[in-house]
Amino acid sequence: MSKTMKNVNTFCLSNVIVHLSIVCLLWQCNSKAVTYVVHMDESYMPRVFTSQRHWYSSTVTSLDSATEHVNSSILYSYENALHGFSAALSPQQLQSLKETPGFISAYRDRAATLDTTASYTFLSLNVSHGLWPASNYGQNVVVGVVDSGIWPESDSFKDDGMVTQTPPKWKGKCQGGQRFDPSLCNSKLIGARYFNKGLLAAHDGDDDDTKIGSNSVRDSMGHGTHTASTVAGNYVRGASYFGYAKGTARGIAPRAKIAMYKVSWAQGAFASDMLAGLDQAIADGVDVISISMGLDMVPLYEDPVAIAAFSALEKGIVVSASAGNAGPSLGSIHNGIPWVLTVGASNTERSFGGTLILGDGKRFSGWTLFPASATVNNLPLVYHNNASACDSSTLLSQVARGSVVICDSVMDVNQQIQQVSLSAVYGAVFISSDPTLFETGKMTFPGLVISPHHGKNVIEYARATQPASATIKFQETFVGTKRAPTVASYSSRGPSWECPWVLKPDIMAPGSSILAAWVPDLPAAQIGPNVVLNNEYNLLSGTSMACPHASGVVALLRSAHPEWSASAVRSALITTASPLDNSGKPIEENGELSPRASPLAMGAGLIDPNRALDPGLVYDTTPQDYVNLLCAMNFTQAQILAITRSKAYNCSSPSYDVNYPSFVAFSADQSVTVERKFRRSVTYVGDGPAAYTARVSSSNGTQISVSPNRLVFKAKYEKRKFSLTLKSEMKKENAVAFGSLEWVEETGTHVVRSPLVVVPTNFVFNP
């Protein structure tokens, strides 16, 4: 399916959505060669070939004889994420390839979507105790960031205080290119590679579209620099966004090492390039893969993240991926892959703004990110009925020239900002409760956004006082906002289209207004219609920003618990996540109605790094468990082989019931009682004997029972099995019921929590 490509928002690349190229539609109408990702069964490789690449090259070369005027060569040979290659093939060549021994499947290349000074304190990371000191701040763990490249000169990537030696298993390198010399790598940035053959093949002959900027790992978009510094940036004093968020910037794992794999370019990101980057990251020996991009509505057996992540799982590499920015609609999530840590975005307790001071001394705090210390001091304050909509720059100039104007909440604030920017007004007070402003908004004019409640008081003052006056102070940072976190409105919601039987997202992490490194050559802010400002740090919002927070915590856990499997790490993060905000109440969704957040919005809740260090119990899942799920989903042998690359797995025990630390059931009709039984196994990772008792909670009349309801462990790594039975009758149409199972240690030390949700089937199985 092909969709129209959306415009790129320079200020928030995490919200970029690059849809399937229109070129794909044109390809269907002629015999021009197009790029395919091809899966092969390596057991068919003749012994005469010395390598898989040799075999693939020979196979593709042999296809040329079947087609006149078409000469093909492989773009990439994949040997880790999958067994196969990518190449530009004509329809005739593709048909010939399908008859070649060892052929499994082939599908067209696709385009993907790109989805800090205080985040660590919000996550309770501190130097005195917990995960930071226990992990030595992630020392010598290698995080592979698959993104848009990196700006190596940023202070966030200096190697001050870093261990000079690289891990013994590290096999990567720094690849030189345009404006990127390998010497730019150091003890922090130890790997740098770029992949654009798929992009270039897609734009073959289109010179205008192949101006890709620096043909190297150097970042020309800013997205990769921002995510890399969020996950593992070094300490940088005095970082800020034009006076906002002042402090010492640092990544979540500040002593971890970074390897950048550039697969995203200004013209898009293609599956063949993504696979090549992921394949190389696995081969290089990274410990964690962080990828803040994904593909929409793609089956698991054609999803490059899913395919590569399965190989990573087998090698103990945790893959952390962004959930997407298509919220708040249910079913909007991407990267809903069972064996991946899928991360949604939350808002935090920190906000940015300023203060409105009226002539009578009354003060009102509000939101703004105006990127300068503007002089709006004791100016006339005007509220004019004819101009209060702030929808005409001409009218505003007539009635409020040289003044501060009050703009009613009657239209989109961004449109009002544009009109006042074009007028002779000196300042503005915007009245709005739009939650998206505080999550992703930018302020290009000396203005402040206040709530409708405060707006009423300000309007009354302006009407009753002659002359009314106002002063606006900018560049203020507020900490301690109550009812935080909330689920960001843009964060994509489950259930997963790819696999609805496993709850996604898994957890959420800070994603709104995250301060991190930026490309100094790119705009970071704007004043009015024409003045563009640069900065070395930028505030961005999106699940792209949440993902590296989780990836950083994974890196810390990898250092503290190198013996844990990838599934155990993911389980620890899920079962220790908090479903409560900083007021002790259930987390809510961001918005005017602020409904209680369901697991489809926040997964298990906000990631809690220190509790994840010592989870008590983990749900460990094997690759065969996931294959059993694929078998139950009626995947063909070829489709399963495209993911697993091996015939060692079998379909002798197909099951939707994966040993996952969450539970999903489906309701077909509000009048029909849902009954579902789940079977799980938990592994004890504590010290000494322990006993746990089951505690359940539910909503909408859902009944939950657990057998046995008490688990006793004598020693570390012992396993115990239990079953959970759920009965639920939906009282309302399209209602989502949810609850939780908690295994509570009888000493009170550990609480191992798993979310549970009942989803209407029409959210999942109807197009």
Side-chain angles (χ1 to χ4, degrees), residues 655-732:
S655 175
Y656 290 113
D657 198 11
V658 180
N659 194 47
Y660 210 79
S662 58
F663 304 87
V664 179
F666 303 101
S667 62
D669 189 272
Q670 67 182 93
S671 62
V672 177
T673 299
V674 178
E675 184 168 351
R676 172 77 192 276
K677 187 172 185 177
F678 303 87
R679 291 177 173 82
R680 294 289 189 271
S681 171
V682 290
T683 303
Y684 178 53
V685 292
D687 295 314
Y692 287 78
T693 302
R695 181 171 66 193
V696 298
S697 66
S698 61
S699 64
N700 288 2
T702 302
Q703 301 175 23
I704 304 172
S705 60
V706 181
S707 179
N709 64 358
R710 186 172 186 264
L711 303 177
V712 178
F713 301 90
K714 296 180 180 179
K716 195 171 188 175
Y717 301 130
E718 280 189 344
K719 297 179 182 292
R720 293 289 182 267
K721 295 180 179 180
F722 69 91
S723 64
L724 180 148
T725 303
L726 175 149
K727 291 184 180 180
S728 179
E729 182 177 334
M730 308 308 294
K731 304 299 182 182
K732 297 180 180 179

Side-chain angles (χ1 to χ4, degrees), residues 501-520:
W501 293 274
V502 175
L503 176 63
K504 295 292 173 174
D506 290 302
I507 46 92
M508 66 178 185
S512 295
S513 296
I514 303 302
L515 184 76
W518 188 244
V519 173

Side-chain angles (χ1 to χ4, degrees), residues 330-639:
L330 292 180
S332 55
I333 198 168
H334 68 201
N335 288 326
I337 302 160
W339 45 89
V340 162
L341 180 68
T342 310
V343 187
S346 78
N347 302 311
T348 72
E349 63 178 353
R350 182 179 68 174
S351 60
F352 307 110
T355 301
L356 171 67
I357 307 171
L358 302 181
D360 62 4
K362 291 182 179 178
R363 305 168 71 95
F364 301 91
S365 296
W367 174 88
T368 186
L369 276 175
F370 184 68
S373 180
T375 302
V376 181
N377 188 34
N378 199 30
L379 295 177
L381 179 65
V382 175
Y383 180 77
H384 195 288
N385 288 333
N386 294 336
S388 63
C390 294
D391 57 356
S392 168
S393 59
T394 302
L395 185 58
L396 286 168
S397 297
Q398 292 172 358
V399 304
R401 178 180 295 273
S403 302
V404 176
V405 65
I406 301 172
C407 298
D408 274 331
S409 180
V410 295
M411 61 183 294
D412 180 62
V413 172
N414 292 306
Q415 296 179 31
Q416 292 178 323
I417 293 173
Q418 183 179 12
Q419 289 302 313
V420 296
S421 297
L422 297 172
S423 74
V425 171
Y426 283 9
V429 177
F430 304 97
I431 301 172
S432 176
S433 59
D434 181 2
T436 62
L437 277 175
F438 312 101
E439 292 175 340
T440 61
K442 296 286 185 179
M443 181 64 72
T444 61
F445 181 81
L448 187 73
V449 180
I450 62 175
S451 68
H453 174 70
H454 289 158
K456 181 180 178 181
N457 296 328
V458 174
I459 291 173
E460 288 177 354
Y461 164 77
R463 282 175 165 170
T465 306
Q466 294 298 330
S469 63
T471 296
I472 303 178
K473 301 292 186 182
F474 299 94
Q475 297 176 321
E476 296 180 351
T477 300
F478 308 114
V479 180
T481 303
K482 285 300 180 182
R483 302 313 308 264
T486 57
V487 182
S489 61
Y490 56 78
S491 187
S492 291
R493 270 63 165 172
S496 165
W497 179 88
E498 292 177 288
C499 182
W501 293 274
V502 175
L503 176 63
K504 295 292 173 174
D506 290 302
I507 46 92
M508 66 178 185
S512 295
S513 296
I514 303 302
L515 184 76
W518 188 244
V519 173
D521 288 354
L522 293 177
Q526 186 172 340
I527 297 178
N530 301 314
V531 179
V532 176
L533 305 177
N534 306 101
N535 200 42
E536 293 184 350
Y537 287 82
N538 201 355
L539 287 172
L540 297 183
S541 298
T543 57
S544 283
M545 283 64 253
C547 172
H549 279 83
S551 305
V553 176
V554 170
L556 298 175
L557 287 175
R558 264 277 161 257
S559 179
H561 291 291
E563 76 280 7
W564 281 4
S565 68
S567 293
V569 171
R570 187 169 59 250
S571 173
L573 293 171
I574 293 172
T575 62
T576 60
S578 176
L580 305 178
D581 63 22
N582 58 3
S583 69
K585 298 178 181 179
I587 291 172
E588 296 180 341
E589 300 196 23
N590 190 34
E592 294 186 52
L593 299 178
S594 299
R596 179 179 175 181
S598 84
L600 296 176
M602 68 175 187
L606 181 72
I607 193 170
D608 189 331
N610 294 328
R611 288 190 62 216
L613 174 64
D614 182 19
L617 306 174
V618 296
Y619 294 75
D620 215 346
T621 312
T622 68
Q624 180 62 57
D625 293 332
Y626 291 116
V627 173
N628 293 342
L629 173 62
L630 301 179
C631 298
M633 293 172 65
N634 292 320
F635 278 26
T636 66
Q637 183 180 10
Q639 290 167 345

Side-chain angles (χ1 to χ4, degrees), residues 739-753:
S740 66
L741 163 67
E742 293 177 330
W743 285 108
V744 183
E745 189 175 9
E746 293 180 359
T747 63
T749 304
H750 299 96
V751 177
V752 185
R753 181 181 178 275

